[in-house]
Amino acid sequence: AAFSDAELHRVVDEVFWRKDGVSFPVEYTATPMRHGEILQGAVVIFNDITEGKKQREAIDFNHALMDKLLTMQADYLAGVASADLFAQALNILLDLTQSQSGFIGEVIDVTLGAPYLRILSMDHIDWDPSRKLDCSQQIKQGLECHDADTLIGKMLKTGRKMIVDSPIQPLTEIDLPLDQSGVSSYLGLPIFGKDGFIGVIVLLNTMLAFSYNDEIIERISPIVHALSSMMDADAASKKLEQMAHHDELTGLYNRAFFNEYLDKTLALAKRQGSFFALIYLDIDEFKGINDSLGHPVGDALLQEVAQRLLSVSRASDLLARLGGDEFILIVTNTHSIREVGYFADKIVGLALQPYCIGAAKLHVTTSVGIACFPAAGDNAAVLFKNADIALYKAKAAGKNQYQFFSEAAIQAKNREEKIQQGL
């Protein structure tokens, strides 16, 4: 070009190769040489721009990173759901590290030798077909990562980063119900918050020529710090929600949440013309246990009863502790009194099994009262009152049984109240 038009030419995207076969970027100028008006030749000067190109790329990367961080911060302040924020952060990490797939997980137990990991967001992770039906629930509840020799297990045990290049084992061998057999490079990063080790980032790459390194980790460190803050805030929010809606002793829902849920269940049942039941129960002679064995034993018994009730409850049911030894279930997704009675009979039978609490072996019974919508009332207060009447009926009939609400039960309770009042 310099010879043809006698002008200076500059090229900034040329590539040279060294003797060892490694390429590097160069720019060059071609400057024409003249003697008078006659073109004699050209001087071509090549310049290695490796460092300059790295600096420009770093500047472009930092600009893009700041834009993404500002977007995340704006979404966080705007109250975007935490699940969406975690998904956004994962997409940024995949983009910045040229990874094909990955996930962000929350460490929910590292104290008992069997840490668990709850997946907060994942992208382009393949399901293991043989375990596909179980995967969704495991992801939500937590994946057990007990084997310290696996990649995930080792990171959860040590809290250290993990970088592994090709070939690596498929993820089915690292305690996850997933199949990523095409992975060639793996990066696992711990996330630390105010309370210590709180989560992990796992990134996966399928390109054979690619490998993760400390430079990549340093580049994405602002995102990791942002994730740490987000996870701390999410944990604090969950803790507040837990305190507001759950019973501190048993972990079950509390009376306040039960009342809210009952109102919503009632409104939905009225719109759909559906059937549901309240199953109200308490432990027979619980006061005697507290008085004779002490409140710690009584508390432990309540916790055990709660776990047994949870074991027979379905996902569509709501179980709450109202206070003391009183528990209540809202049983939906059922169609007949017979089904509800079968469920109540299971509860009574379950309570009869002995409880081993410390050195004490306890044998207790429970009484159960049932009120069904719409037969036993069409508002929350009436339904709850009638479930209480049915519970009284079970107590009066000898305990260790269940009873449905009926008009006869109302009359019996009214007579008992009059007698107690001396009328």
Side-chain angles (χ1 to χ4, degrees), residues 109-131:
D109 184 15
V110 292
T111 59
L112 301 177
Y116 284 79
L117 192 67
R118 182 185 293 122
I119 304 301
L120 301 176
S121 183
M122 59 165 47
D123 192 275
H124 292 93
I125 296 289
D126 296 330
W127 298 109
D128 176 357
S130 66
R131 298 177 62 191

Side-chain angles (χ1 to χ4, degrees), residues 294-411:
H295 287 280
V297 172
D299 288 348
L301 175 61
L302 291 172
Q303 290 171 332
E304 182 63 30
V305 169
Q307 290 304 310
R308 291 192 187 184
L309 290 172
L310 278 174
S311 71
V312 295
S313 299
R314 303 164 305 169
S316 57
D317 302 330
L318 179 122
L319 172 62
R321 179 189 177 215
L322 300 182
D325 63 326
E326 297 178 342
F327 299 86
I328 195 161
L329 291 100
I330 300 178
V331 180
T332 56
N333 196 26
T334 186
H335 306 288
S336 70
I337 289 176
R338 177 175 292 184
E339 285 183 32
V340 176
Y342 173 75
F343 188 32
D345 193 48
K346 251 174 112 173
I347 291 173
V348 172
L350 196 65
L352 276 173
Q353 298 175 17
Y355 299 83
C356 295
I357 298 174
K361 188 173 185 180
L362 305 180
H363 296 270
V364 302
T365 61
T366 187
S367 297
V368 180
I370 306 168
C372 300
F373 173 85
D378 63 354
N379 67 68
V382 172
L383 272 171
F384 183 77
K385 177 183 176 183
N386 290 342
D388 184 39
I389 289 171
L391 177 58
Y392 165 82
K393 182 181 175 184
K395 295 280 190 187
K399 305 175 183 176
N400 189 33
Q401 60 182 281
Y402 68 89
Q403 292 286 341
F404 282 89
F405 163 79
S406 68
E407 290 298 327
I410 293 179
Q411 296 171 8

Side-chain angles (χ1 to χ4, degrees), residues 53-66:
K53 187 174 182 180
K54 282 184 179 180
Q55 290 175 4
R56 288 195 298 272
E57 287 177 349
I59 291 170
D60 291 342
F61 180 91
N62 288 333
H63 283 164
L65 180 60
M66 287 304 299

Side-chain angles (χ1 to χ4, degrees), residues 176-207:
L176 291 176
L178 312 164
D179 183 11
Q180 294 289 108
S181 55
V183 172
S184 62
S185 297
Y186 167 99
L187 172 63
L189 292 177
I191 302 174
F192 293 94
K194 294 177 182 177
D195 296 327
F197 187 18
I198 58 173
V200 299
I201 298 167
V202 171
L203 301 174
L204 309 166
N205 199 294
T206 59
M207 296 186 295

Side-chain angles (χ1 to χ4, degrees), residues 168-179:
I168 71 167
Q169 52 195 325
L171 287 184
T172 45
E173 296 180 25
I174 55 174
D175 300 291
L176 291 176
L178 312 164
D179 183 11

Side-chain angles (χ1 to χ4, degrees), residues 175-334:
D175 300 291
L176 291 176
L178 312 164
D179 183 11
Q180 294 289 108
S181 55
V183 172
S184 62
S185 297
Y186 167 99
L187 172 63
L189 292 177
I191 302 174
F192 293 94
K194 294 177 182 177
D195 296 327
F197 187 18
I198 58 173
V200 299
I201 298 167
V202 171
L203 301 174
L204 309 166
N205 199 294
T206 59
M207 296 186 295
L208 292 176
F210 180 90
S211 62
Y212 295 106
N213 54 47
D214 289 336
E215 183 180 348
I216 291 175
I217 296 173
E218 181 63 28
R219 280 186 168 191
I220 63 174
S221 61
I223 301 294
V224 179
H225 292 315
L227 269 172
S228 171
S229 298
M230 286 164 52
M231 291 180 74
D232 271 337
D234 189 51
S237 175
K238 287 176 181 176
K239 188 173 182 179
L240 286 174
E241 183 181 358
Q242 177 80 10
M243 292 170 62
H245 292 157
H246 290 77
D247 171 57
E248 185 176 356
L249 177 65
T250 63
L252 301 180
Y253 289 110
N254 58 19
R255 182 185 286 269
F257 187 81
F258 161 76
N259 289 334
E260 292 177 17
Y261 194 86
L262 178 57
D263 288 337
K264 293 176 182 177
T265 303
L266 192 60
L268 182 63
K270 286 179 178 179
R271 286 199 303 271
Q272 297 180 343
S274 56
F275 169 90
F276 73 92
L278 292 186
I279 298 181
Y280 189 14
L281 63 119
D282 69 8
I283 301 169
D284 297 326
E285 309 300 339
F286 180 72
K287 184 177 183 302
I289 294 172
N290 262 346
D291 291 343
S292 60
L293 299 176
H295 287 280
V297 172
D299 288 348
L301 175 61
L302 291 172
Q303 290 171 332
E304 182 63 30
V305 169
Q307 290 304 310
R308 291 192 187 184
L309 290 172
L310 278 174
S311 71
V312 295
S313 299
R314 303 164 305 169
S316 57
D317 302 330
L318 179 122
L319 172 62
R321 179 189 177 215
L322 300 182
D325 63 326
E326 297 178 342
F327 299 86
I328 195 161
L329 291 100
I330 300 178
V331 180
T332 56
N333 196 26
T334 186

